[in-house]
Amino acid sequence: MRLKPWDALAREIAGLASPVAGTEQVSLHGASGRVLAEPLLAALPLPGKTHAVMDGYALGAPPPGRYRLAASPAERLAADEALAVSSGEPVPAGTASVVLADRALVKDGEIAVSEAQAKDNIRRRGEEAEPGAILVRAGKRLDARHLALAAAAGLRSVEARRRPRLALLAICDAETALPHHGIFTALLGSRSISVTDIGSVRSAMLESVLLRAAASHDAIVVVAESLDGEEGLLAKALAGIGGEPVVLRGALKPAKPIITGRIGAVPLLGLAGTAYAANVAAHLFLRPWLMSLAGLAADDPFLPAVAAFSRSRGQGRAEALPVRMRREGNQLLLDPAGRFGQLSALAAMDGFALAGADQGALEPGVPLPYHPLLMPLI
């Protein structure tokens, strides 16, 4: 079987998943990590009041000039008046400018400002958004920035996509737990999806467990040390319950066959190999699949970096190398973090560098795309 370039394989796998149907109203308090289903529209002007952006004095006319210091807030400042204000405090009508306190000379109830200033230091009501304006477009994963904006614009809830219900299980006949299990629990710990951790499943029970999982979930992720392609446990179990197993192989080191399929309408993705190999596959292949399920647009998580080490290598396959990242000036430098078959490399690494299929030996200074480890994946 011809091996596919890893990026083409990633796009193919992402195309096997579709956004789950359904939306729900979610309070701002619980909306962090949720995917926005409808545009976020302002309910109130933003900002809601015309106010000072710093501590100082509101002036009735632009500086320079001399002003009478008002003893108490007035509805409107005369051109020769000034009023002490704090950052965020509403300014009276007629305010032309706010000047910093240390740029004003106060004496005998008067304020003298000797220099003009480029900014008026005022935010005016509705200057960012009027009611009905789009604050955040649909498809965004919400975080603290978006929620602060929503609250300031008078919203109490958002319309979010229903979270995909994902079942996670590990095929393991041994008495000891599969190292992959804890890794994938962390990788899938996102508020954008809802995960049921089924735990370790013995091969004899695999068909019945898959059927039960498909009956109550939108998608299934299976991890194992080996899936053995078309002859493996997962492919046979899928075929045995009427599923549609497909074995995919990428031109990538480290890599094992990836099993995709469906149980009815429920998509399934099976990943195997060492814990490191499965982790790489999760970042490169599982992550875009999950983003499709959650209704998120594809992105590019790679950062430009350069090697700070030498390594001989053959061509024909891309290679994901465990690395530690450090910064020198504006440049990201990558140091080796162990061998990719080692569990200890997972604890030591910050991410992995991806050497291209046609790239030869690596030397210090050679550009290398760097993929930081993401916990969770989305």
Side-chain angles (χ1 to χ4, degrees):
M1 177 184 290
R2 180 176 176 273
L3 302 180
K4 296 186 178 183
W6 76 265
D7 50 348
L9 185 58
R11 289 191 296 271
E12 179 179 344
I13 290 172
L16 299 174
S18 301
V20 299
T23 66
E24 57 185 347
Q25 279 288 318
V26 181
S27 71
L28 293 188
H29 179 72
S32 178
R34 300 299 298 270
V35 179
L36 196 59
E38 300 290 341
L40 208 60
L41 305 180
L44 299 173
L46 187 67
K49 58 189 178 183
T50 299
H51 63 271
V53 299
M54 58 180 62
D55 297 342
Y57 295 95
L59 308 177
R66 302 182 69 86
Y67 308 86
R68 294 181 294 107
L69 185 59
S72 59
E75 288 188 8
R76 174 175 287 275
L77 282 180
D80 64 345
E81 282 186 314
L83 178 70
V85 292
S86 300
S87 177
E89 183 179 355
V91 295
T95 299
S97 184
V98 173
V99 66
L100 277 169
D102 60 5
R103 296 186 179 178
L105 179 63
V106 182
K107 185 177 180 181
D108 298 331
E110 285 193 343
I111 294 176
V113 183
S114 60
E115 296 180 356
Q117 57 185 28
K119 298 180 180 180
D120 62 15
N121 302 318
I122 299 171
R123 290 183 67 213
R124 287 172 171 75
R125 184 177 188 269
E127 70 175 36
E128 288 188 60
E130 293 290 349
I134 296 177
L135 302 176
V136 184
R137 297 195 177 276
K140 275 285 188 182
R141 182 172 44 225
L142 298 173
D143 60 29
R145 302 167 298 164
H146 309 117
L147 300 181
L149 188 62
L155 300 176
R156 296 185 178 182
S157 64
V158 298
E159 187 77 11
R161 283 188 175 275
R162 180 174 67 80
R163 294 191 297 170
R165 298 183 300 263
L166 187 70
L168 169 66
L169 62 96
I171 303 174
C172 185
D173 285 320
E175 295 301 323
T176 56
L178 188 67
H180 306 43
H181 198 174
I183 294 171
F184 275 80
T185 300
L187 288 170
L188 298 174
S190 168
R191 296 191 69 177
S192 302
I193 56 178
S194 174
V195 179
T196 302
D197 187 355
I198 293 175
S200 295
V201 176
R202 295 189 178 276
S203 55
M205 300 296 296
L206 186 55
E207 289 189 13
S208 60
V209 172
L210 288 174
L211 281 172
R212 288 199 301 272
S216 55
H217 294 84
D218 299 301
I220 302 171
V221 173
V222 179
V223 294
E225 285 188 314
S226 176
L227 294 176
D228 293 328
E230 295 87 342
E231 302 302 317
L233 290 170
L234 182 55
K236 289 181 177 179
L238 270 173
I241 57 177
E244 306 166 12
V246 177
V247 180
L248 301 172
R249 290 180 171 86
L252 177 70
K253 296 170 58 179
K256 291 289 184 180
I258 296 171
I259 307 293
T260 67
R262 291 185 181 276
I263 305 172
V266 177
L268 175 146
L269 194 64
L271 304 174
T274 65
Y276 176 76
N279 195 304
V280 169
H283 281 78
L284 294 182
F285 306 122
L286 174 59
R287 183 171 183 269
W289 188 79
L290 290 174
M291 293 180 76
S292 292
L293 282 171
L296 291 167
D299 65 2
D300 182 4
F302 283 94
L303 301 174
V306 298
F309 60 94
S310 300
R311 180 182 175 89
S312 60
R313 59 183 304 274
Q315 295 181 330
R317 295 192 188 192
E319 192 171 12
L321 305 171
V323 294
R324 289 187 294 270
M325 185 274 289
R326 57 189 168 93
R327 186 183 295 274
E328 286 190 5
N330 293 326
Q331 193 168 59
L332 300 183
L333 300 181
L334 304 179
D335 297 303
R339 295 167 53 194
F340 53 52
Q342 298 173 325
L343 268 175
S344 57
L346 282 175
M349 65 192 281
D350 297 316
F352 56 88
L354 197 69
D358 298 327
Q359 194 166 8
L362 302 179
E363 298 293 342
V366 170
L368 273 180
Y370 166 66
H371 195 311
L373 284 185
L374 303 172
M375 298 279 181
L377 287 172
I378 67 171

